[in-house]
């Protein structure tokens, strides 16, 4: 026997060879699989044959010539079956037989654990690790239904006693499990609005925080990365929540629930110590930085009243349900996923070089008629004029290494399954830095059930420990605060240059920092089914995030000549903890009614008990830098301790009725309590109603519009309560002040209390249309929602004569948010070797203030009929060609270069800062072993431009500006958009007006190649030789290319003083044994 | 039944949640001397942490009014300093209004809490007296900076949010009423935060209220009352003029009332004007970048000192930045009243006896008591090593007293700015000084702008003219 590589031609030579020994030869030479029920081979004859390069089909005919067998080819599988007999006059349907079969995927790989069911019966089985199944007692005319997560469902009529099924990748996912509040459903039967993102999609993104991977994928969910610094925060808004808080960083975020535990998704109680703390630098951080995206199985985003009502108070601003990977039955499998790469600085605005800077500085003095002074070191000869340092390059120009290793081992039987998972991540810093951020995690998941399946228990635990030694400084904020010919920040040996007696830009680099954050997430779900129709379940979740931040400010951050350096050394340790216990017991009753009906009733409750605490020790004045590690060793030691409890609880009842798989109605009711409100006002009642009609099931459609494979009309409406106000605003409290006054501690009351505070009311309605065409190859969904928010919890402005800027109250204002969300999935090409699918979604949110609050509000930005996310601005009228100053048009219509006299009433231009629309355009191409994905995200919005963000107009010694200053006004008659350069004091108020004018805002719309993922999966045959179940290698990139006209700033984080989202390039491998 | 008891227990579950640690519900705060005193003490701490006496140069009244008038000049590129130095205060620089009114809310709610409490407070009079004094002090500063004021006498925001401005005269009357209450309630000796008698002159006693009352009577031209109140303190043997180098030491006999520092290591003035700077600096070192000393004494103040004035040698220091190829040597002069970098050696004096001698001299001069005025003035001049005054008419004396206040009380608690306005000489002085500072002066500038936000929110509130 000889083989000559993979082709569709076969060379064979042998005498009296049994058929079962020829099949491997065919497989080896052609790459085709031969599938055959070996029982058939009992009665076959031996084969003698000698051929060279015979076409495969001929070869098959030849060897089967005298056998009672025939073959068929399905894709790359040759199926050998019994020769069809002449049809018998009537099939005896009572005859029972055994059917075996094999289920493979697109690439011919076995599909493990696929569900095999016989249509219309309750019998069924699952495929084993080779994708093979056996069904006994199958009637002859039966239809076998094969389904598996991620694949299209397939129905195969039984003919003969073997089945060969190849499953196509699922396109529409209509019947995939969708995780909703306290349970699951399918996209098909869900009357609410839920978007699910799977692990597979998340895995394409080399990111540390899963929010980054979610960006753009979920219509209605706007995600903004605030800082590119690892460990930083994200602003998340669902449907631009109808809330008065227009500042996205403080607006209520959607509730995040991880495995049933309410999770601190937003800010953590990091050190608030204003001059030294990390809170500002990481913008508060994000709890999800401490959950490895690789551990996530799926994310469901609940949007409408129907979906969110069950989370009551906490769900008023949307709900994000995160489910971690869980144990599954199956053979023991070991998986390793490893990637490594680099990240580099994203888009930043360009600053002037020395030559440009000096030219403009001289122009300043000429314009102002001032002489060069002793302070003007940049131009008075103190600093050489040919020296140039690109401070951004020096401080932010590094390449940061990033590495991620994930190992998992899992398997189990039907009764007990297990999954163990470990991961290591390390992320460097693009800043000139010591230190990095890294974490390691361990998790397990264990499922066990009694033999009768009545009692089952699922346990999971996840522990992650993260260490960051990156000094918490964002150098971006100070890049422009030095003359480009100022002395170098570092000496050639890398140490700080103290030539001028100070080093404001880089001195901080010698600070010491260590932050250890641990995240423990545990969940147990106990299920008891006393009767077939009744399920009792209790979910108990526990989450504990603890942090220990250390910061030290040694003498080396100050010039060696600075005599007070020792007295100013200080260090602090901040310990914090956020602990959440969530208990949710519920009962579920399921019953078939009147033949075609299905009733599902759920009732239960939820207790959420949260405790945040932090204690901080701060020492000043150390005898030695070596003692900084213990802040208690300082000359002056202060400490703070805070502890804030929050509790909420709720009862809920849900009734869902499905008639004939066509008509669905869902009723939710809920009673909520929260400690954010005072006595007698703690509880509120809320509820929703939803209905759906799957009209494609109707006979008329099936007959007259068969191209429509799926059509659903759904609608929901409901009232949800919100409690987005700071804790204990209803009670006036006294708390201690820092320090003592001659030995006596002081108390002060910090806020005005409002005992009348009560629940916000959000009335949310939505209608949606879902359509599938051509067997769901094209699937589209459009939703229109309208949320009306009233009784809003706001901070009502007060005249400061009252002692306060405002106080918490329920406003009688009414805000209406509405919007369209449209998505389209299309499988453009689907052949045996290539699949190309495209997904597009777009969200178009609008908001309107329907009724102004009765109480006057300082924010004159509230205009009836306009969005609350907007602001009122002075009308910028360009640069006055005569004077070179900014000019504005006031309320009277006068255009002048005002430097005083403009009032709030002169702000006549309204600018909405919320995104006008945003979305995502995603393509996946699978070609043989290759798959290539690329994703564009796009957002249309306005943002503050670089000039508008600059605190200082150009002119002062040591303050550089963007290259747009080269376009400045120079002489009478110049028409330009940049004013004349001047250090005159009047420029300050002019620039202040400018910052509050339309001129300070530019179009920050952008399209971004957010992600590219190229994956090569090794061929099945090669894997078999390597004794590996699966192996793929991949290249991934994040934030690769940004197209915008936003003057060099990053259009996502919109802030020149913060590190923008990084560009990341990685390469990795994923192997399964 | 089961359901309702379940609901009951849930209600309890929420009600039983504790307040955040370290907080006391407002109603529980006035149950003992200890916590009541702590709340009053909170006001001293906040006077130190922010507002008129703070360590932040950008809001310290003495510092910024020194820049605003003729006492200090900006020697740095500091822009906040320029705002005041160039008399360019705008609607954006309104922090004092907000800050003083927030302190006022605290004091009003404290007064209400002490008055309403049913608990027996042993030192109730003392705590209440301190509150009235602090309220008077806050209005004293508000009135001097902003003129006519919304008179908030309760903590009720529904009332305070709608107040209109009360004429300054009536505000003065309210200050006088509060100070009289304080005089009645406060003990004659100094108390500490626990009610015990102490040598520390950092909480007000009767003499402190009397001293401020004497100053406030000058605003209402009640010269006889001003004199009587000043005399009451001058005749009190607890207070004596002492040698110039001892005046600013902690609990000096000259101190009537001082604020203690909180957890800082020194009195703020030390950082503002001294900060360990040596007498000679070699470029590129300069006061601003190497020592964060941003301001120096301005020439009108330096020129006001007569030859041989011992205050000049005791309370003024200088630093010379040596010449370079491109710039000549520059000598800067700095206030040097507070000299110590060590905590506790000095305390920030708000009221001292010399001020009262000059106050009485002015009150006497106004009443045509020439010899009485001369004698008070000469007490101060003598201590400064100067000969007796040559002023002999009322006008001459008033001018001489004004000049004496300038060199005796320079860079102390805004006295110069307030004196210029009270005497009506501010326009004359500033019209000369402003051009020296590279700016110009208008009459309206003697009052500062009030926050435009408050004018929007309170329809009864009117802005100060000119802003």
């Amino acid at each position: 026997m000889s083989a000559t590589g993979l082709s569709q031609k076969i060379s064979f030579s042998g005498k009296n060879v049994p058929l079962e020994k020829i099949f491997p030869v065919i497989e080896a030479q052609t790459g085709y699989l031969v599938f055959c029920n070996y029982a058939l081979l009992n009665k076959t004859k031996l084969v003698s044959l000698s051929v060279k390069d015979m076409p495969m089909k001929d070869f098959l005919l030849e060897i089967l010539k005298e056998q009672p067998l025939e073959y068929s080819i399905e894709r790359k599988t040759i199926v050998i079956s019994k020769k069809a007999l002449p049809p018998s006059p009537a099939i005896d349907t009572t005859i029972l037989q055994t059917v075996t079969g094999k289920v493979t995927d697109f690439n011919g790989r076995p599909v493990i654990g696929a569900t095999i069911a016989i249509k219309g019966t309750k019998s069924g089985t699952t495929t084993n690790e080779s994708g093979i199944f056996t069904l006994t007692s199958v009637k002859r005319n039966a239809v076998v239904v094969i389904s598996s997560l991620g694949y299209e469902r397939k129905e195969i009529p039984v003919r003969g006693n073997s089945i060969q099924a190849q499953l196509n990748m699922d396109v529409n996912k209509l019947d995939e499990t969708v995780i909703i509040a306290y349970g699951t459903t399918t996209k098909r039967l869900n009357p609410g609005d839920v978007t699910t993102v799977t692990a597979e999609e998340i895995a394409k993104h080399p990111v540390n925080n899963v929010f980054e991977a979610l960006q753009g994928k979920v219509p209605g969910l706007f995600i903004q990365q605030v800082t590119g610094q690892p460990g930083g925060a994200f602003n998340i808004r669902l449907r631009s929540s109808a809330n008065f808080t227009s500042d996205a960083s403080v607006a209520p975020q959607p509730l995040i629930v991880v495995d049933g535990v309410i999770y601190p998704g937003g800010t953590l109680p990091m050190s608030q110590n204003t001059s030294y703390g990390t809170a500002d630098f990481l913008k508060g951080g994000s709890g999800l930085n401490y959950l490895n995206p690789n551990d996530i199985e799926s994310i469901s985003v609940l949007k409408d009243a129907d979906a969110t009502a069950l989370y009551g108070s906490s769900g008023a601003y949307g709900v994000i349900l995160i489910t971690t990977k869980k144990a599954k039955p199956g053979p023991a499998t070991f998986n390793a996923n490893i990637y490594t790469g680099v990240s580099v600085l994203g888009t930043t605005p360009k600053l002037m070089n020395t030559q440009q800077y000096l030219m403009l500085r001289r122009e300043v003095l000429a314009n102002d008629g001032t002489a060069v002074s002793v302070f003007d070191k940049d131009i008075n000869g103190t600093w050489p004029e040919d020296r140039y340092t690109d401070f951004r390059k020096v401080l932010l120009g590094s390449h940061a290494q990033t590495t991620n290793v994930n190992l998992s081992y899992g398997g189990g039987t039907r009764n007990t399954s297990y999954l163990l998972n470990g991961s290591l991540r390390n992320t460097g810093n693009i800043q000139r830095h010591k230190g990095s951020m890294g974490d390691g995690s361990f998790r397990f998941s264990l499922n066990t059930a009694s033999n009768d399946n009545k009692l089952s228990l699922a346990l999971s635990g996840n522990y992650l420990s993260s260490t960051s030694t990156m000094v918490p400084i964002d150098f971006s904020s100070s890049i422009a605060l030095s003359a480009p010919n100022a002395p170098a920040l570092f000496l050639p040996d890398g140490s700080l240059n103290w030539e001028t007696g100070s080093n404001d830009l880089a001195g901080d680099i010698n600070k010491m920092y260590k932050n250890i954050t641990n995240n423990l997430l545990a969940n147990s779900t106990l299920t008891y089914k006393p009767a077939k129709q009744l399920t009792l379940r209790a979910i108990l979740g526990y989450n504990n995030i603890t942090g220990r931040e250390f910061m030290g400010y040694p003498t080396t951050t100050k010039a060696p000549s600075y005599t007070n350096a020792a007295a100013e050394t200080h260090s602090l340790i901040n310990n914090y903890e956020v602990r959440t216990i969530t208990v949710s017991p519920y009962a579920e009753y399921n019953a078939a009614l009147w033949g075609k009906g299905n009733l599902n009733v759920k009732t239960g409750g939820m207790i959420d008990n949260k405790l945040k605490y932090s204690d901080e020790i701060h020492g000043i004045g150390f005898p030695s830098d070596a003692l900084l590690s213990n802040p208690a060793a300082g000359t002056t030691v202060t400490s703070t301790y805070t502890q804030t409890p929050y509790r909420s609880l709720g009862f809920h009842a849900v009734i869902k009725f499905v008639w004939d798989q066509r008509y669905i109605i869902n009723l939710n009711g809920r009673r909520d309590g929260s400690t954010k409100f005072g006595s007698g006002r703690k509880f509120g009642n809320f509820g929703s109603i939803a209905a759906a009609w799957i009209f494609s099931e109707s006979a008329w459609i099936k007959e007259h519009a068969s191209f429509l494979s799926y059509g659903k009309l759904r609608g929901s409406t409901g009232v949800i309560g919100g409690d987005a106000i700071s804790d204990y605003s209803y009670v006036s409290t006294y708390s201690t002040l820092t320090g003592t006054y001659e030995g006596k501690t002081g108390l002060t009351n910090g806020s005005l209390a409002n005992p009348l505070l009560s629940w916000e009311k959000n009335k949310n309605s939505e209608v949606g249309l879902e359509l599938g065409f051509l067997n769901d190859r094209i699937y589209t969904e459009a939703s229109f929602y309208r949320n009306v928010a009233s009784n809003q919890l706001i901070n009502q402005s007060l005249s400061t004569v009252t002692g306060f800027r405002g106080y918490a109250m329920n406003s009688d204002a009414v805000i209406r948010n509405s919007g369209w969300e449209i998505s389209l999935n299309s499988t453009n090409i689907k052949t045996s070797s290539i699949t190309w699918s495209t997904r597009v979604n777009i969200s178009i949110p609008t908001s309107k203030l329907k009724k102004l609050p009765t109480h006057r509000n300082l924010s004159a930005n509230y205009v009836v009929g306009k969005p609350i996310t907007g602001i009122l601005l002075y009308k910028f009228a360009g640069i006055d060609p005569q004077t070179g100053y900014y000019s504005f048009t006031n309320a009277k219509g006068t255009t002048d270069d005002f430097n005083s006299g403009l009032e709030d009433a002169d702000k006549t231009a309204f600018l909405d800062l919320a995104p006008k629309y945003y979305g995502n355009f995603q393509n996946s191409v699978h070609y043989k072993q290759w798959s290539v994905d690329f994703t564009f995200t796009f957002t249309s919005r306005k943002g503050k431009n670089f000039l508008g963000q600059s605190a200082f107009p150009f002119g002062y010694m040591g303050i550089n500006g963007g290259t747009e200053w080269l376009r400045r006004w120079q002489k009478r008659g110049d028409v330009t958009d940049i004013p004349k350069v001047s250090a005159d004091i009047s420029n300050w108020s002019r620039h202040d007006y400018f910052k509050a004018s339309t001129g300070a805002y530019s179009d920050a719309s952008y399209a971004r190649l957010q992600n590219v993922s190229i994956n090569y999966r090794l061929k099945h045959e090669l894997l078999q030789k390597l004794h590996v179940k699966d192996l793929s290698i991949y290249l991934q990139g994040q934030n690769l290319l940004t197209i915008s006209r936003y003057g060099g700033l990053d259009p996502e984080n919109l802030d020149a003083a913060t590190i923008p989202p990084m560009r990341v390039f990685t390469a990795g491998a994923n192997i399964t044994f | 039944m089961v359901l309702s008891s379940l609901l009951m227990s849930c209600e309890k579950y929420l009600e039983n949640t504790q307040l955040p640690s370290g907080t006391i519900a407002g109603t529980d705060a006035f149950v003992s001397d200890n916590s009541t005193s702590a709340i009053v003490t909170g006001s001293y701490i906040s006077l130190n942490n922010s507002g008129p006496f703070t360590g932040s140069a950008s809001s310290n009244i003495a510092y910024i009014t020194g820049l605003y008038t003729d006492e200090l000049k900006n020697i740095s590129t500091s822009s906040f300093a320029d705002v005041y130095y160039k008399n360019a205060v705008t609607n954006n620089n309104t922090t004092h209004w907000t800050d003083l009114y927030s302190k006022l809310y605290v004091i009003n709610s404290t007064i209400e809490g002490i008055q309403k409490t049913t608990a027996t407070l042993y030192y109730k009079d003392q705590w209440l007296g301190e509150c009235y004094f602090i309220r008077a002090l806050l209005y004293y500063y508000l009135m001097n900076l902003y003129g006519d004021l919304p008179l908030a006498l309760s903590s009720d925001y529904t009332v305070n949010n709608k107040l209109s401005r009360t004429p300054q005269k009536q505000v003065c009357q309210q200050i006088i009423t509060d100070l009289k209450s304080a005089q009645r309630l406060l003990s004659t000796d100094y108390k500490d935060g626990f009610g015990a008698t102490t040598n520390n002159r950092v909480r007000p006693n009767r003499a402190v209220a009397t001293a401020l009352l004497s100053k406030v009577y000058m605003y209402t031209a009640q010269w006889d009352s001003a004199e009587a109140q000043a005399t009451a303190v001058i005749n009190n043997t607890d207070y004596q003029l002492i040698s110039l180098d001892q005046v600013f030491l902690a609990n000096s006999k000259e101190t009537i009332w001082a604020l203690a520092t909180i957890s800082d290591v020194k009195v703020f003035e030390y950082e503002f004007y001294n900060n360990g700077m040596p007498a000679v600096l070699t470029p590129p070192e300069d006061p601003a970048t190497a020592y964060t000393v941003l301001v120096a004494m301005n020439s009108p103040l330096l020129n006001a000192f007569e030859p041989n004035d011992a205050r000049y040698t005791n309370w003024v220091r200088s630093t010379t930045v040596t010449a370079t190829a491109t710039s000549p040597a520059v000598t800067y002069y700095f206030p040097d009243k507070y000299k110590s970098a060590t905590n506790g050696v000095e305390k920030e004096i708000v009221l001292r006896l010399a001020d009262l001698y000059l106050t009485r001299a002015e009150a006497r001069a106004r009443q045509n008591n020439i010899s009485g005025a001369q004698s008070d003035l000469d007490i101060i001049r003598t201590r400064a090593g100067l000969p007796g005054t040559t002023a002999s008419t009322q006008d001459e004396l008033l001018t001489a007293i004004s000049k004496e206040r300038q060199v005796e009380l320079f860079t102390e608690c805004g006295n110069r700015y307030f004196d210029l306005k009270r005497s009506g000489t501010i326009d004359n002085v500033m019209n000369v000084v402003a051009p020296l500072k590279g700016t110009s002066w208008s009459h309206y500038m003697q009052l500062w702008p009030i926050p435009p936000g408050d004018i929007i929110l309170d329809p009864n509130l009117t802005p100060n003219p000119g802003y």
Side-chain angles (χ1 to χ4, degrees), chain A residues 570-590:
Chain A
H570 57 96
S571 78
L572 70 84
I573 282 179
N574 173 38
N575 285 300
Y576 69 79
E577 179 178 308
V578 185
R579 192 269 291 131
T580 317
I581 300 171
T582 311
V583 184
S584 27
Y586 67 92
E588 183 172 0
Y589 175 80
N590 249 312

Side-chain angles (χ1 to χ4, degrees), chain B residues 83-363:
Chain B
V83 164
Y84 294 97
Y85 184 53
K86 297 273 171 84
N87 305 119
V89 177
T90 70
N91 286 336
N92 293 332
N93 315 104
T94 52
T95 49
H96 296 94
W97 171 278
T98 301
D99 175 71
L100 291 165
Y101 270 108
S102 79
K103 293 177 165 62
L104 205 55
Y105 166 84
V106 173
I107 227 49
N108 280 332
S109 69
T110 310
I111 291 171
E112 288 159 4
I114 297 173
Q115 283 172 340
K116 274 187 213 154
T117 185
T118 52
T120 310
L121 299 179
Y122 194 79
Y123 298 108
K124 188 171 178 173
D125 282 358
Q126 174 71 18
W127 313 136
L128 203 52
E130 290 187 21
C131 288
Y132 284 124
F133 170 76
I134 296 168
R135 184 159 81 179
L137 185 78
L138 294 171
Y139 272 120
Y140 173 76
Y141 278 97
L142 274 167
M143 164 190 92
N144 270 303
L145 297 176
Y146 300 100
D148 301 346
L149 299 173
L151 202 54
L153 296 174
S154 80
S155 68
D156 187 344
Y157 66 86
T158 58
V159 173
N160 296 344
N161 202 33
K162 293 180 187 139
L163 289 173
S164 55
R165 300 176 74 162
T166 300
Q168 188 175 333
K169 273 251 158 62
Q170 275 164 261
V171 175
C172 277
Q173 285 311 324
Q174 179 58 44
I175 297 173
I176 289 165
T177 307
D178 279 346
L179 288 172
K180 282 182 172 168
S181 301
Q183 273 184 326
R184 180 169 47 81
L185 294 163
L186 288 170
S187 66
T188 50
D189 48 3
Y190 288 99
K191 296 284 189 191
D192 68 11
F194 306 94
T197 300
T198 171
N199 287 325
N200 285 328
R201 302 181 169 198
V202 296
R203 296 178 87 101
N205 64 1
R206 190 170 297 164
V208 175
T210 308
L212 187 58
L213 185 56
S214 162
K215 281 171 72 93
V216 174
Y217 273 132
M218 308 242 284
Y219 285 79
T220 53
Q222 291 167 278
W223 310 112
D224 52 340
S225 301
E227 182 184 352
Q229 298 297 332
T231 303
V233 181
I234 290 168
N235 290 347
N236 185 333
T237 51
D238 284 349
Y239 308 103
Q240 281 160 24
L241 287 186
I242 51 175
S243 72
L244 291 174
D245 56 337
Q246 307 279 311
V247 171
F248 293 94
L249 294 179
N251 308 323
S252 72
K253 278 277 190 188
E254 185 162 339
T255 307
I256 300 174
W257 182 55
L259 269 171
T261 51
I262 307 300
S263 41
D264 233 306
V265 290
K266 57 227 153 197
V267 172
F268 309 129
E269 270 80 351
Y270 172 79
E271 266 176 77
F272 292 164
Y273 310 120
N274 185 322
N275 226 2
M277 186 163 43
V280 178
L281 288 179
T282 320
E285 277 190 307
D286 67 58
T289 50
Y291 294 89
T292 57
V293 171
L294 310 181
V295 304
M297 289 167 76
N298 208 350
S299 50
L301 173 56
L302 289 168
N303 297 338
F305 286 96
E306 293 169 40
N308 306 320
D309 191 328
R311 289 170 296 205
Y312 187 83
T313 39
N314 270 287
W315 294 345
V316 178
R317 58 189 289 282
S318 69
T319 289
T320 302
V321 181
T322 57
T324 67
T326 53
S327 55
V330 193
T331 301
Y332 298 110
Y333 298 88
F334 301 100
D336 197 31
K337 289 178 170 175
Y338 297 93
K339 305 168 199 285
S340 175
T342 310
N343 192 18
V345 172
E346 291 156 350
K347 281 169 189 161
E348 167 113 10
I349 295 177
V350 181
L351 292 166
R352 63 184 174 99
L353 192 60
D355 186 359
L356 287 195
Y357 272 107
L358 294 171
T359 299
R360 191 170 71 174
E362 190 176 333

